[in-house]
Amino acid sequence: MTSTALPPEVPKGALDDATAARLEALIEQEEGAQNRLPGLLGHAAVAIALAMSLFHLWAAWDIVPTTVLRYVHVGFALVLGFALFPVARRFRHRLMPWDIALLAAGIYCIWYLIAGGDDLQDRYVFPEPMDIVVGWMLIALVLEVTRRATGWIMPAVAIAFLLYAFFGDMLAPPWRHQGYDAERLIPHLTITLEGIFGTAVDVSASLIVLFTIYGAILQASGAGKFFVDFSFSLTGGKPSSAGRTVVLSSFLLGGPSGSGVATTVTLGTVAWPMMRQVGYRGDDAGGLLAAGGLGAIISPPVMGAAAFLIAEYLKIGYLDVIVMAIVPTCLYYASLLFMVELDQRRIEAERKADPNAPPPRTMRVDPVGKLLRLYGFHFSTLVAIIVFMVLGYSPTLSVLYAMIVAVVLSWLRRETALTPRRLADALASGAVQSIGIAATCACAGIIVGVITLTGLGLKFSDIAIQAAGGSLVVTAIYTALIVWVVGLAVPVTASYIICAVVAAPALIKLGVPDYAAHMFVFYYAVLSEVSPPTALSPFAASAITGAGPYRTTLQAWKYTLPAFLLPFVFVTDPDGVGLLLSLRDGMTWIDVAWQVLLAAGGLAALASAAQGFGRRILAGWERWAMALAGLLMIFPALVEYAARDLVPYPHMLGIALAVLLVVLQRPRPA
């Protein structure tokens, strides 16, 4: 079985061996260190992965009972997880006896659950001794496969919640609960659909795995490479357009990639030489590449796994989530464009000041027309899923039909044709890529099961609201901090799952619409992609550029911070839901357009403040003033709260302040 490796769009020989090794090590932190099993073992692993994909494709087409689908999905994750992810790095590329034992134990647990049928479900309140034994085994297996695939932090958090469930009666109020023994807790987590096999695994089994396979098919057909080439061609390959190229290509590549790290690496290997010629420092370039990679998680139509969970928690269609994400995604990339335009102005000013600086060279690229003529069909495969959902098909059928479209259209060119061998490899690759997500969702189910059983979510909401003094603004800030801190330790999907049941209810209790609260939590969960110690995208970018990883992470924060103030509009401004293309009573589309213009203007002001550049280099007080102008336009509720309603018309004041600062920024004489 092929191990975790660089994305296929990375040109062969684009990186030296040492850099390639560092990048693969970083990617393994997110996707686990996979085995290269030799001979028959490797073929068997591929066959099992292919079987997993075919099972889920069949489940998308035909009716499979909910419990069976969830059980089998976790079963495949356990089998492939123990076969492909070693217990420790020194045991790589071998299938050890304990791997076989754990694999067999996983098969037995899933068989026990499926064979138990309705009788097992009916007796979860009064379980038999063997039910408890199998439950303990399953929990241990889920914790171990999650540790192998994603690291030790997520299982450690789950164990802490288990201890809370068992010994919560020993804590002081308000954290105290009645306490639960194994006969009550273990069946709740392993037999019912409230724990391991809860909502997260349901979404993973019915949607996430299908979109992962879809992304693997697009990658195998060369869609990712085409989007990168198209972006460079559209900007003419000019060094002055290096930043714009990164932003455009990250937007296009995010769909088929679905991975922030993969997008960052793919772009970095191609764009970094050109960015270096222009004058980008290593940490600046790495920060921009990581920020572009982060866009892969929030870009429709193939958003991050957490987006599918939003649809399930809110009981809405995935198309509704995509619609809500359109404007925030466009504003995110607009913010990046503001930043790179200011970057270019700053770099050009520095180049003019240095007469000895060599002129940048233009890259040789194929014309846009030629690329569209040869490979433009890849755009059809990307939008097909949206078309099918608009036509009324379910997300599962839509992605299934979109895969068929992608496979058929790939035969328009010999070099992109998905032959049976390439298609089988793509299906197997998609299944393997879903293992980490499936394990994370199963492990998160343990946490969610404890939260629902103990009532911790409601307790936490009351505590957060009381600590904030009932203020929506302060509660939103607390919630953002909580989600961000959780995201420091666990991946985006796990961060969203935990905070959706712990932090979001506090906002909803204060009158925030549920969809706005969940989108707020989602966007702050995404910050974990650029936040240490899980800042894998900046770390991967720093390996390419040679800059320090933490300096690169700080630069990534700089590029993403303006856009990530935007979610406060969703929850603190009653009309802010317009950015989610949702209209409350009395709103019109003119109000939505006004909200978008305010947000864009505020992001431009914050970008100028973050870069310290406008029409010229900004003085310190000008940067602070520009930041205030951006806050007044984007987050006026914060200013109103701090000033106790002494600031009249904050939006208009922010616009006036920004305009005044731009007028005053006449370039200083040399």
Side-chain angles (χ1 to χ4, degrees), residues 315-339:
K315 304 302 179 185
I316 60 177
Y318 181 60
L319 183 60
D320 296 323
V321 178
I322 292 177
V323 169
M324 288 193 295
I326 290 175
V327 172
T329 300
C330 291
L331 289 172
Y332 175 78
Y333 283 105
S335 173
L336 287 185
L337 281 175
F338 293 147
M339 299 286 272

Side-chain angles (χ1 to χ4, degrees), residues 130-206:
M130 196 61 192
D131 298 341
I132 305 296
V133 172
V134 172
W136 273 116
M137 287 174 57
L138 181 61
I139 290 174
L141 291 170
V142 168
L143 292 174
E144 171 59 11
V145 79
T146 305
R147 184 196 66 80
R148 293 189 180 198
T150 67
W152 60 269
I153 296 179
M154 187 68 184
V157 173
I159 291 172
F161 273 85
L162 286 172
L163 293 175
Y164 174 74
F166 282 123
F167 305 109
D169 56 336
M170 300 180 182
L171 299 177
W175 303 102
R176 181 186 299 167
H177 62 81
Q178 69 183 43
Y180 296 92
D181 58 16
E183 289 190 359
R184 181 69 179 90
L185 177 64
I186 301 305
H188 177 78
L189 297 180
T190 59
I191 295 178
T192 73
L193 301 183
E194 300 292 331
I196 290 175
F197 302 104
T199 300
V201 163
D202 180 35
V203 175
S204 178
S206 59

Side-chain angles (χ1 to χ4, degrees), residues 13 100 103 210 232 246 322 336 452 469 528 553 637-638 648:
I100 298 174
L103 188 153
L210 295 177
F232 276 84
V246 169
I322 292 177
L336 287 185
T452 57
S528 65
T553 301
L638 176 63

Side-chain angles (χ1 to χ4, degrees), residues 444-457:
I446 297 174
I447 298 172
V448 173
V450 170
I451 291 173
T452 57
L453 185 63
T454 61
L456 179 61

Side-chain angles (χ1 to χ4, degrees), residues 9 218-219 221-229 252-253 256 266 378:
E9 286 73 27
L218 290 183
Q219 294 282 28
S221 67
K225 182 179 184 302
F226 163 70
F227 293 139
V228 173
D229 292 343
L252 294 175
L253 189 62
T266 300
H378 285 305

Side-chain angles (χ1 to χ4, degrees), residues 584-611:
R584 66 180 183 86
D585 293 340
M587 283 185 66
T588 66
W589 288 107
I590 295 177
D591 298 316
V592 173
W594 173 243
Q595 287 291 324
V596 174
L597 288 174
L598 279 175
L603 290 175
L606 289 172
S608 178
Q611 291 285 50

